[in-house]
Amino acid sequence: MKPHFHKVPIPSRTSFSIRHDKDSGFGTVWHYHPELELHYLVKGKGVRFIGDNISNFSDGELILLGENLPHTWRVEEGASNTTVEVVIIHFLPNCLGSELLLLPEAYQIPKLYERAKRGLLIHGEAKEKVIRLMHSAVDAENLDRLIALLSILKILAEASEYETIASAHAFYKSNDAETLRLNKIYAYTLSNYRNDISLQDVASIANLGITSFCRYFKLMTKKTYNDFLVEIRISQACRFLIEDKMATEVICFECGFNNVSNFYRHFKKVTDMTPLEYKRKYLYKAAPEMV
């Protein structure tokens, strides 16, 4: 999907941006920027779009996005009154000086930047260390500010507990009209995924005929609209399974699937697990934290 270029505001007399936001609203248009983005979600939940990946987000996520990687976060429908809290650092690859990246002692940093081009979800001890440093960096000044960023990069570069988010693929720049059209499609789908959505419905939102819309959407996203809709529905089903408040059969219809067997087939295709396997995997991970 063609993203919109976003100019990240870097305060004057600083080499990078760090902010701690508490907003009742959250999420922007599908966009990209040349800065890397280190994104710690203190509080909030919804769906995130990074590259070609669609997944849920929730409290405690730490993500590093590489330069020019398209992304957006959308708050869960009905959660508009819930405060979303984030700590975000934006920095250009050479913000600490181009010469730093050429030093033999710093060889791990360019490798980190390369991995981050697909997005990195950070786990384990590295995550906890980086979160502490991000909080301290918010109010740091002068050399302490630079030292905090360099310390964060060291931890991330040496970390082994992470997973990549998006697959490697080409992306295209867009004009404002295309950005507006694609975000209308996003918003409509996220608001109506529980209902039957016909190609005629969504094509009219894009102001295109059905054939033109199908060709356009496949060109922009490398997937069909039906595949995109299924991924949205499965991402919501995953959240409901984790919350463990509804039976799987109820979740099936709550997420817009018309029959249980169809839901199971799509869930297996998208997650490579059955709903029960997915729930057990989550409960196994959560159990040590609950003891």
Side-chain angles (χ1 to χ4, degrees), residues 13-263:
R13 302 181 65 83
T14 62
S15 54
F16 65 94
S17 166
I18 180 168
R19 67 180 198 268
H20 185 175
D21 290 344
K22 296 181 180 179
D23 298 317
S24 58
F26 184 66
T28 63
V29 297
W30 177 242
H31 69 285
Y32 68 97
H33 41 71
E35 294 85 0
L36 286 89
E37 178 176 321
L38 185 59
H39 189 112
Y40 169 48
L41 186 78
V42 183
K43 179 183 177 183
K45 61 181 180 178
V47 180
R48 55 172 162 79
F49 302 78
I50 296 175
D52 59 357
N53 177 267
I54 302 171
S55 298
N56 293 301
F57 69 81
S58 57
D59 299 358
E61 273 197 353
L62 179 66
I63 289 177
L64 177 64
L65 303 177
E67 51 192 300
N68 295 323
L69 176 60
H71 58 279
T72 189
W73 273 255
R74 296 295 178 95
V75 169
E76 183 180 69
E77 185 180 349
S80 59
N81 293 325
T82 302
T83 299
V84 176
E85 183 178 354
V86 291
V87 180
I88 302 176
I89 299 179
H90 288 107
F91 60 98
L92 289 167
N94 61 353
C95 74
L96 296 177
S98 300
E99 293 78 8
L100 173 67
L101 302 179
L102 301 177
L103 296 175
E105 295 87 350
Y107 74 95
Q108 290 175 308
I109 295 180
K111 291 184 177 181
L112 170 66
Y113 291 171
E114 188 63 30
R115 293 196 300 272
K117 289 180 179 179
R118 295 175 59 184
L120 303 178
L121 181 61
I122 313 300
H123 302 294
E125 186 178 357
K127 171 184 170 181
E128 301 307 318
K129 289 181 178 178
V130 168
I131 288 172
R132 288 195 293 270
L133 282 168
M134 290 180 74
H135 279 299
S136 65
V138 171
D139 298 317
E141 297 179 350
N142 303 323
L143 283 176
D144 287 335
R145 201 168 181 272
L146 296 179
I147 291 170
L149 179 59
L150 189 57
S151 298
I152 288 171
L153 292 177
K154 177 182 183 297
I155 293 168
L156 293 174
E158 295 175 349
S160 58
E161 293 183 80
Y162 65 86
E163 57 186 279
T164 55
I165 298 172
S167 62
H169 68 99
F171 90 95
Y172 305 88
K173 297 180 181 179
S174 68
N175 58 40
D176 289 342
E178 288 175 333
T179 298
L180 179 61
R181 173 183 283 171
L182 291 167
N183 277 283
K184 283 183 178 179
I185 296 169
Y186 260 1
Y188 180 81
T189 305
L190 287 168
S191 297
N192 294 278
Y193 70 90
R194 294 183 177 89
N195 308 318
D196 288 332
I197 300 178
S198 69
L199 285 175
Q200 179 62 57
D201 292 335
V202 72
S204 65
I205 294 297
N207 199 28
L208 294 169
I210 293 177
T211 302
S212 297
F213 170 77
C214 292
R215 187 184 303 115
Y216 169 81
F217 196 83
K218 184 66 178 291
L219 177 65
M220 297 298 103
T221 67
K222 310 304 180 186
K223 65 183 72 176
T224 67
Y225 178 76
N226 185 63
D227 288 340
F228 173 75
L229 177 58
V230 166
E231 289 179 11
I232 293 291
R233 287 171 169 167
I234 294 300
S235 72
Q236 298 295 340
C238 288
R239 176 172 302 284
F240 288 138
L241 286 167
I242 289 172
E243 291 176 349
D244 199 22
K245 295 179 180 178
M246 292 185 285
T248 302
E249 290 74 16
V250 176
I251 292 173
C252 159
F253 294 102
E254 182 67 21
C255 292
F257 292 96
N258 293 324
N259 63 74
V260 176
S261 61
N262 192 39
F263 168 65

